[in-house]
Amino acid sequence: MVVVATTTILDYICFMGRKYKIHNSDRLYFVTFTVVEWIPVFNDLNNIDIILESIQHNQKNKGLEVYAWVIMPNHLHMIIGRNGERSLSDIIRDFKSFTSNQIRHNLLKDSSSLKYQILALNGMKNSRNIDFQLWQQHSHPIEISSDYLFDQKADYIHANPVEAGLVEFPEDWKWSSAIDFDGGEGIIELTWT
């Protein structure tokens, strides 16, 4: 008897939907937050400060644990976990909502700017928004299931600024935990395993 496996596009979509979800809030996850249209809103130090302050607030008040991170001009990567009662999905949702609102207010200072207008246009395209969208909808969480995967993702995070030609060495990028991994002390307090 020959068994033939058939996979439909619906099966694939359902698999992909399960693949990029947080199934266990007690595990660590590699996440990516990308600005719609890859607009470089983090060329503005005020917007970087919003991200940093929100991460620190979530660490202090919501149980966010940060193991590695980097802020790039149009996205950020982190390895995160949580302690406490809040789910990791709720922490991520609150982080994205708060930072989007704060960066929107910062960009409103120049509502004629191309960055603001593109973000507003994207917001109108999505029925979940009122008039503005900063982040792409998904953060594509990948569960960290081994030390090897942790090291691979941390190396990827720290290599981002080098690969983008922003610095020569990972630890030279101020908006990253690479300095912590090199024995220094960075801006965000890390949770060490």
Side-chain angles (χ1 to χ4, degrees), residues 117 119-127 129-133:
Q117 292 189 18
L119 294 168
L121 179 63
N122 274 282
M124 290 186 284
K125 290 181 190 175
N126 188 330
S127 62
N129 302 319
I130 296 171
D131 65 350
F132 182 88
Q133 182 175 341

Side-chain angles (χ1 to χ4, degrees), residues 88-168:
L88 197 51
S89 295
D90 287 348
I91 294 170
I92 290 170
R93 180 202 61 221
D94 293 350
F95 170 81
K96 288 176 76 173
S97 176
F98 177 80
T99 54
S100 179
N101 188 41
Q102 294 301 306
I103 290 170
R104 177 181 187 267
H105 287 299
N106 189 44
L107 291 174
L108 266 173
K109 294 174 187 170
D110 183 12
S111 61
S112 65
S113 78
L114 183 58
K115 288 178 187 178
Y116 180 84
Q117 292 189 18
I118 291 172
L119 294 168
L121 179 63
N122 274 282
M124 290 186 284
K125 290 181 190 175
N126 188 330
S127 62
R128 290 181 168 175
N129 302 319
I130 296 171
D131 65 350
F132 182 88
Q133 182 175 341
L134 176 67
W135 301 113
Q136 291 181 10
Q137 291 296 322
H138 303 287
S139 57
H140 294 287
I142 297 172
E143 186 176 314
I144 302 296
S145 57
S146 67
D147 290 342
Y148 173 80
L149 189 57
F150 179 93
D151 292 341
Q152 179 191 45
K153 295 304 182 188
D155 289 345
Y156 174 81
I157 286 169
H158 297 142
N160 253 233
V162 176
E163 295 294 322
L166 300 171
V167 291
E168 188 174 354

Side-chain angles (χ1 to χ4, degrees), residues 21-60:
K21 288 190 177 181
I22 294 176
H23 297 286
N24 183 348
S25 280
D26 293 326
R27 301 300 300 259
L28 302 183
Y29 284 84
F30 168 79
V31 293
T32 301
F33 304 111
T34 306
V35 177
V36 295
E37 305 290 335
W38 293 82
I39 298 169
V41 297
F42 303 119
N43 287 343
D44 181 334
L45 293 179
N46 293 318
N47 293 334
I48 291 174
D49 286 343
I50 290 167
I51 296 297
L52 294 172
E53 289 169 9
S54 182
I55 290 170
Q56 291 165 336
H57 172 82
N58 280 287
Q59 286 177 301
K60 183 178 179 182

